[in-house]
Amino acid sequence: MLSATSAGEHSSRPATVTALLARRPMKRARDDETEQHLQESCVSLLMRHQNTSELLLEITSHHKIRSISCDGYEGLEHNTGIQTSVLENELRRRSEQMGVPVGLLSARVLLENIEDLITQTDTNTEHVLLNTKQRSDVCALLKSAQVLMSAGIFSPELLWQEYWKLQPVLEVIYHLHTHNILTLDFMLERDAAVSAWITDQLKALCASMKTTPDDQQIRHHILSTVVCVLVRRAFEDSAHNLSQTCCWILDSMISWLLDSLSVKGTETSAAGFWVQVFDVSVFGGCVTEDTLQRFFTHTLMRVFTYRPIFKVSDVIAVQSEWSFAKTLPLLTALFSKICLVFSVECVLSQMQQVLETHEVNWRHILSCLSHLLIYHSQTQCCLTDLLSRLLRSAFDSYDVEKMITLFLLARQASLEGPAVFPPYSDWFKLSFGGSSGYHAKSKKSTVFLLKFLSDLVPYEPPQYLKVNVMHPPYIGGKYRSLLQEYITLAKTRLRDLKVSLEETGIFEVVNGSAGVVECPAQQDVEKAVTLFMTTNKVPATVIEASIFRRPYFLSRFLPALLSPRVLPVKSDARMVFIEALRKADKIPAALYTSYTESCRRETYRQKEGVCESSEDDHLLVLQEQFLHLRRMMTDGATDGDVCAQLSRISLTLRNVCADEETGSDVITLNRDSPDSAHAAVANLILQSFCLCLLDASKVKPPNRQGSWPSVFVKALLAHRGLVSALIHRLWDLLQYQVELHYCRHACPPVRLMGSSAGALSVSECLSDALICSTRSHMALCLRFCVAVLSYGLCRANAQSEELHNFIPERLYKKAQYVMARLVPETRAHMSDEYESDLHTEASDLTGRVEESAVALWRNTQIRSLKKQPQYQLSFSEWLSSELHVQRSRDALTDLERQEYEQWACEQYYLHMSEHDGGCEGDVTRICARIITAVLDRHTASRTGGSSHEHTDGCLPDLLSLLQAVLYEVAVTRLNTSEETGHFLWDVIDNRCSVTPDPDSIGHKLSYQQTLDDISRVLVLVPPVMLLTVRTDRTGRRTLDCQRMMKHISHVQRRACLPAGLLSFQLTAHFFKAVVSGSVSCDRPVEAVNACLSLFNTECPLLPLSAACWWTRLSAALSSQWKRLTGRDALPEQLQMLEDSHSWSRRVGAGCAWPVPSAPSWLLAACLHGSLRRSDCEMENVRRLARQLHETDRQVLLFWFVSSVTELISTHLNQQAAGCLERVRDVSVCLLTHLVDDSDWLLLFDQSGSDHRLSHFLSRVMSPQTLRLMPFAFYSILRGVESELLTGAIRSPGFLYSAAVSYRELSRLFLNAQPSGGLQQQVLLEARRVLMSSISLSSPDCLTLSQRRQLQSEYEQLDSEISAALSSFRNAPFT
């Protein structure tokens, strides 16, 4: 760093000042002269070859004090005076030598050192904060700069000029300011660009991620210092030249803050840091109170007026979403800090001023009002005064803007509830419900109000419209028609919104919430009785409702008030209120008589003949008895004493709940309509049992408490009328299930209403109430299962009984599922990887839930239950439970869920025996059961078998697991010489083994949906799994596609929509299977050709579908073939598809092209698809029909088949009804050229002939399409001209085909399939065509057997047609 050379020798080692001084002999006598001489020698030495920048750095790094804020820095020690002197002399010498001012040189030297300190130790690009070392070194440099500045050899102005050229750092600027070297005021005045730079630096400071205490402290100091300067210069003196600049910076920051709050969920910690600016403590006395008030006032106005993007109509509609509870936390914090320096009156005054003079952001205005109401109790009074002034001013000047403000503020205040502001309905009635209101002063005022309310109607939420209609403003008699117009308009709007006025209670509190009250009439009754007892007068609201809302009063309020009950001996408040209404003639006499009679019947029903006490009295007695039972538990009473007390309780229960004979041994549990007759008693019993159990457990553990719980439950089961109410409550609360299971034989079974399952024991039924679909559900289930298993274990040990007597089977299965899922430590114990403990202490079961779960699975008794088949959670049951889990609300993360599912499949169930619910080590069984579970899940969701249906399930996870396991199976098959079996087709075919009833739409739809589910699973299977590679007798490996063909022909064909076509996904997947499988054969080309040739003859549906999708399919197959074999040329069968497609495209365009060697049906399908995609004109269709009529009639015939198939699909697809006429025209055109040949009639042949066309149709068309052929037959004939129809009638076999088709068409119509006006028209037209055909046909067109068959069939179907056929009776038959 420093270099020194003597006169006589040169030293190559650099030395510091301290080191040079240290080399002097320490014991040498030192007098003043010697010390002065030594100092002069050192100075002379240091002046030679000195690096000034390094000298400054060395001086400042010697014995400096490091401090975060540098405020404690006290300068250099005494022995540094020589160093400062050296630095001054060196700077002056270098200045003279370089010819530059010494101030500029010192500034540059300082900047060089600062930049070196930052760049050498910091790679951070934020350049906002320094690290601890940088901060200490910079502070030391600035202390030296202060010394130099006091010596007059350092220029701050020149320092700023040089530093601004570099990339300034905010913390360095802060230190320059705090060291009084360069102030922020000076920087802002010198350069206009500083304001934008400071804004960016402040944002970066807020966003800084440094979180150490030192960094947080310096962030706060920088923010406080900068903001104090900006606020002081912006608001202390508006005439100051920096006022506008500083105000712009502060406005930019508040705009940045508000932008981050514009969308819910986007608020950031950076914005939260800037909110701290509005803490009064930040300013720490550096800003006067008046200045601070002006700053906060300016900020509040800025918030109110920032981006006024909401229209008033939008505000009216969405205002309820801006309540205090829904306001963003940072916006609430902002208002809390800003409003703290103002009084409520001041804030409301500013709000009113802004509303009158500016466009405002209504969201901020209303959120601020909600904040004031919640945090400041005096806001209600101040706001009421403000609303009164606004109301008066609005009607004085007929100002719509003030009316809008008035209503929005009042509604916003009502959103926060009656605790802080009256409901909107009360405010509206108080403001407009009396004759003294401002609106009632003149006609102009009345019209002004009604027009204003009418203009709001299209935008108002229904809850406000209901208030305005139910409590309309007071309008004088002359203007009632105007009010009626408004009410009619509002009611129309309510009807459009499907909101009923009759369901609105007379005491309904409207505070802006759109929620629906469950029982408004019952709530009205309770409120009316309460008010009556308070005032001893019938509430005026009830009297008004009996007059102005008479339908609601008679049909809702009075029935709720006069509901039958056991009347108490002494009149209660309700009875007194009813009597007051009766005396006021508000209750019809017939209704009152019916009420008294019903009460008598209720009394007889619920009380025994000799019992004179009321139900309430019995409940008090019962409550007292349960309290005594609790005291007995605490005192450690004997079992005999407890049983005696339970006997007394049982007697009281008989008095409270009279048993009724139901005539059934099964209790039906209606979850949607719980038994409310004994709800109070049931709640008391459940609460008392839980408290007794807690009190007893404080004295003794469960295994030492005796048998009182069982006696308790048995005592309850003796009261059949009470059991239903108890089970209903237990379904929700799930309490004391162990004892119910122990007494299951004495408890009647339970059947869930709407469930196809049989009756279950109460414990098993309640176990089903435990669901495990979400995080909260799983946590509850885990806690409950641990509690039940722990309690059951203790009870079994205490009574020396088998554990299964205390543990329900279904709950044990739930425990296996949820414990293994949520507590990974239990998995090893469930897999029997660890030894079990013979005994588990009760203390082991009282820790955390997870620890208790592990302790339970270490217990031998708990684990032994798993060996019993009825307690084993099978793999299929596990899959069903996993499919019910909602992924977005799962307790496990995606990775944890993947690990858990892999453990369950590969480590737990894979190697478990089938007897225990496992897969016997067979991977294919894993696959089969996953597929079955997926299909069962879809079926259950369609049939409503799932009570907790959702779409966000774990299906994707299990399908991914299925693909992984299938890949393993596929690899295993490729590496083995023997076939592993068609387990996949076995599973799928088993699901489709039942043929749907063709006359049942429900069965067909269910079958169709099942096939859709199977298709979704199929496309997930690796294609190579769909085929088998066999080794023939010669040792050659060939493809076996029999199972795939069988599936397509017998399963997929039944549900092909559009008719005669597989979906693109299935078609592509099956072809990929052929190409993939061919690679495993000895000759891939021959394997593909042989396989596809077999499909052409045995299963033409697949190549026919490929012809339809070839435009999308060809590229994928070509790429796959080249990728797997390295060959560009396709196999012959694939090339045939390509050639057929090219031929159809060119022929359709009018080009001459040789016909490829392909089946006629394939060429026809390609041609038909090409013309359909190109939307060919009819003239072109006629040209092609004529051309094919001359060259290839078979292609023309199969083209007609494709056209008829499309016609049927168009009829079935309502969305394609627009192209129905075009499709029919094509069919008619083709028939024109086929009519002279009877082969076209074979298309509609229902006799099952062996003709090639019939054979083809049976392999490509679904049964539904074949059944609709008669419909297509007559749909085409009704569009042909008379000459063509006459020619068709002369075709051999036409009359018989027409008669058979009409017969089948009639049956379709009778079965309502198809239906609709067009189809009925076809039926009528078909009958006309058939009658005309009979009259024009020769006698020899039917054989004797055909005539007799038709006559016999038509005798019941249509006697007129039968008579027409009998006209051939005397004619000779062939």
Side-chain angles (χ1 to χ4, degrees), residues 1065-1279:
Q1065 290 79 6
L1066 277 178
T1067 304
H1069 206 63
F1070 289 147
F1071 265 84
K1072 288 179 181 178
V1074 175
V1075 174
S1076 301
S1078 68
V1079 181
S1080 301
C1081 299
D1082 297 329
R1083 299 177 182 177
V1085 175
E1086 293 183 5
V1088 171
N1089 289 333
C1091 186
L1092 294 183
S1093 297
L1094 189 60
F1095 271 102
N1096 289 339
T1097 56
E1098 301 297 331
C1099 184
L1101 178 58
L1102 181 61
L1104 196 68
S1105 302
C1108 175
W1109 306 115
W1110 189 251
T1111 303
R1112 298 167 57 186
L1113 186 62
S1114 59
L1117 291 180
S1118 299
S1119 174
Q1120 184 189 21
W1121 175 256
K1122 183 176 180 180
R1123 186 172 62 253
L1124 295 178
T1125 64
R1127 304 178 185 180
D1128 292 326
L1130 294 173
E1132 294 178 4
Q1133 292 295 320
L1134 291 178
Q1135 188 62 45
M1136 180 181 68
L1137 281 167
E1138 177 65 28
D1139 295 343
S1140 300
H1141 186 266
S1142 301
W1143 169 82
S1144 64
R1145 189 174 63 252
R1146 287 176 172 82
V1147 169
C1151 302
W1153 199 261
V1155 180
S1157 177
S1160 300
W1161 51 265
L1162 184 61
L1163 295 173
C1166 291
L1167 179 60
H1168 182 74
S1170 178
L1171 294 177
R1172 183 180 56 191
R1173 285 189 297 270
S1174 63
D1175 198 14
C1176 183
E1177 298 292 338
M1178 281 303 302
E1179 186 59 36
N1180 197 21
V1181 173
R1182 296 187 185 96
R1183 176 186 59 80
L1184 289 173
R1186 289 193 299 269
Q1187 178 181 339
L1188 291 174
H1189 183 263
E1190 298 173 357
T1191 59
D1192 197 331
R1193 294 180 63 88
Q1194 284 297 311
V1195 175
L1196 180 62
L1197 177 61
F1198 282 105
W1199 185 9
F1200 181 63
V1201 173
S1202 299
S1203 180
V1204 172
T1205 304
E1206 184 183 4
L1207 178 63
I1208 295 174
S1209 298
T1210 307
H1211 274 292
L1212 295 176
N1213 185 6
Q1214 295 181 357
Q1215 297 178 352
C1219 59
L1220 181 61
E1221 291 299 327
R1222 184 191 64 82
V1223 176
R1224 183 187 290 114
D1225 291 343
V1226 172
S1227 300
V1228 172
C1229 176
L1230 298 179
L1231 179 60
T1232 304
H1233 296 83
L1234 291 171
V1235 71
D1236 57 345
D1237 190 345
S1238 61
D1239 284 351
W1240 69 275
L1241 289 171
L1242 296 171
L1243 176 59
F1244 309 100
D1245 184 14
Q1246 301 289 318
S1247 62
S1249 64
D1250 294 333
H1251 191 272
R1252 177 192 175 197
L1253 183 58
S1254 300
H1255 184 74
F1256 173 78
L1257 294 177
S1258 65
R1259 282 168 169 74
V1260 298
M1261 290 189 178
S1262 65
Q1264 181 186 18
T1265 305
L1266 292 174
R1267 294 187 70 201
L1268 290 174
M1269 277 299 179
F1271 177 79
F1273 177 81
Y1274 281 106
S1275 179
I1276 295 172
L1277 289 181
R1278 62 187 291 264

Side-chain angles (χ1 to χ4, degrees), residues 126-171:
E126 289 183 2
H127 294 296
V128 180
L129 296 177
L130 306 175
N131 60 34
T132 303
K133 184 178 185 307
Q134 293 170 348
R135 188 173 298 123
S136 180
D137 291 341
V138 168
C139 287
L141 285 172
L142 295 183
K143 283 294 184 180
S144 297
Q146 285 179 316
V147 175
L148 296 177
M149 187 168 61
S150 63
I153 61 172
F154 180 81
S155 172
E157 292 82 357
L158 295 176
L159 172 66
W160 172 248
Q161 292 178 5
E162 296 297 320
Y163 192 38
W164 183 243
K165 298 176 184 178
L166 304 175
Q167 185 178 3
V169 178
L170 181 61
E171 185 176 349

Side-chain angles (χ1 to χ4, degrees), residues 296-313:
F296 276 56
T297 301
H298 174 84
T299 301
L300 191 60
M301 179 172 289
R302 180 74 177 177
V303 174
F304 286 162
T305 59
Y306 184 71
R307 290 192 178 178
I309 58 176
F310 297 101
K311 297 180 181 178
V312 172
S313 58

Side-chain angles (χ1 to χ4, degrees), residues 1022-1041:
V1024 72
M1025 297 261 331
L1026 302 179
L1027 295 173
T1028 303
V1029 178
R1030 291 185 179 275
T1031 303
D1032 59 15
R1033 296 179 180 178
T1034 62
R1036 292 178 55 189
R1037 296 170 63 86
T1038 58
L1039 288 178
D1040 179 11
C1041 56

Side-chain angles (χ1 to χ4, degrees), residues 29-59:
R30 300 173 61 184
D31 53 17
D32 294 341
E33 183 178 356
T34 304
E35 185 173 350
Q36 181 180 2
H37 178 72
L38 177 61
Q39 181 175 347
E40 292 174 354
S41 300
C42 288
V43 170
S44 175
L45 175 64
L46 293 171
M47 292 299 293
R48 301 180 182 181
H49 310 293
Q50 176 63 54
N51 185 309
T52 309
S53 179
E54 293 187 357
L55 177 61
L56 175 61
L57 185 62
E58 180 183 341
I59 290 174

